[in-house]
């Protein structure tokens, strides 16, 4: 019991101190925040753009495109404000995007490729934004795609399937508890069918899964299916007790990365659920490695 109380008190102190730490970082590493920058025709096509003063000292810059979670049907860029402020405070340009969400009303016409198109548009707008705002010297020509949960799925799917056609070089991806392999072997039949229906609008039966008839559909929405020797380096964080996104998703990624020689790092939080909060030291290590990826790539 004492150990549990000690752990909980340490976690509470860490949570309370984080806003103070981020505030200090923001003081020493100032950035300008431009809210609700439009990047498309839909009302939802807006992003918050963080531009740190350090960006003006570089000959060229990358942007971290951050994608929120929410089961592809909910969530908002505001959910990722703290993470984005942390990244911007370290001197990196960040674009925190909203995107089209699935709903019952749009279930028959919704397809995940629509969101990937929106991410294309968001990156294009980041390049145009500096000129439109009269900001000189940013020269944004590469991107890292980062996300949490469903946002991590979108980040990986975009980075792996559209790296060759993206508006700028995709230099790495980072996934926090991201779905990667929408196969029944990883998710079970019921969840595999549900996710596929949500992301493609196609009704899949258990018989289609078992016969292999649904393989192509599942592959089209599974980031692991697009991994080859040209896949960008990837940083992963996954909870070992995650009941929302099965940990086997990360195992599938690691297997594919290893087979194709893709550089990766995997932070496994053995005691964490989908929130990723139960291993605070390892969780903090993820951000240290994320900063390292930014510097390296």
């Amino acid at each position: 019991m004492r150990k549990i109380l000690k752990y909980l008190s340490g976690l509470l102190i860490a949570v309370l101190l984080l806003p103070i730490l981020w505030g200090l970082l923001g003081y020493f590493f100032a950035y300008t925040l431009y809210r609700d920058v439009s990047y498309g025709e839909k009302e939802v096509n807006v992003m918050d753009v963080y531009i740190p003063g350090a960006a003006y000292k570089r000959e060229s810059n990358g942007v971290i495109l951050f994608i929120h979670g929410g089961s592809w049907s909910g969530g908002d860029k505001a959910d990722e404000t703290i993470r984005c402020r942390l990244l911007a405070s370290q001197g990196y340009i960040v674009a925190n995007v909203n995107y089209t969400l699935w709903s019952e009303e749009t279930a028959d016409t919704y397809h995940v490729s629509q969101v990937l198109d929106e991410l294309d548009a968001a990156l294009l707008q980041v390049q145009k934004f500096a000129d439109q705002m009269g900001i000189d010297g940013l020269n944004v020509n590469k991107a890292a795609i980062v996300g949490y949960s469903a946002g991590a799925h979108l980040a990986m799917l975009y980075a792996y399937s559209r790296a060759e056609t993206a508006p700028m070089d995709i230099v790495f991806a980072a996934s926090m508890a991201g779905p990667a392999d929408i196969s029944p072997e990883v998710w079970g039949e019921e969840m595999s069918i549900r996710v596929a229906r949500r992301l493609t609008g196609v009704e899949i039966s258990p018989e289609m899964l078992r016969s292999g008839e649904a393989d192509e559909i599942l592959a089209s929405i599974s980031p692991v299916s697009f991994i080859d020797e040209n896949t960008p380096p990837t940083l992963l964080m996954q909870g070992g007790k995650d009941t929302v996104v099965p940990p086997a998703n990360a195992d599938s990624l690691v297997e594919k990365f290893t087979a194709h020689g893709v550089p990766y790092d995997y932070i496994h939080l053995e005691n964490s659920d989908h929130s990723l909060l139960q291993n605070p030291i390892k969780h903090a290590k993820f951000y240290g490695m994320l900063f390292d990826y930014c510097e390296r790539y």
Side-chain angles (χ1 to χ4, degrees), residues 90-110:
Q90 294 294 296
Y92 304 110
I93 298 173
V94 182
N96 185 15
V97 297
N98 274 349
Y99 52 91
T100 299
L101 301 173
W102 178 92
S103 68
E104 292 289 352
E105 291 74 23
T106 63
D108 292 335
T109 59
Y110 186 89

Side-chain angles (χ1 to χ4, degrees), residues 201-232:
V202 178
E203 293 286 357
I204 295 176
S205 67
E207 292 71 28
M208 291 172 66
L209 287 180
R210 296 164 195 163
S211 68
E213 187 180 349
D215 287 355
E216 186 174 346
I217 296 171
L218 296 178
S220 72
I221 57 174
S222 295
V224 294
S225 303
F226 297 92
I227 294 174
D228 59 24
E229 62 275 6
N230 297 315
T231 295

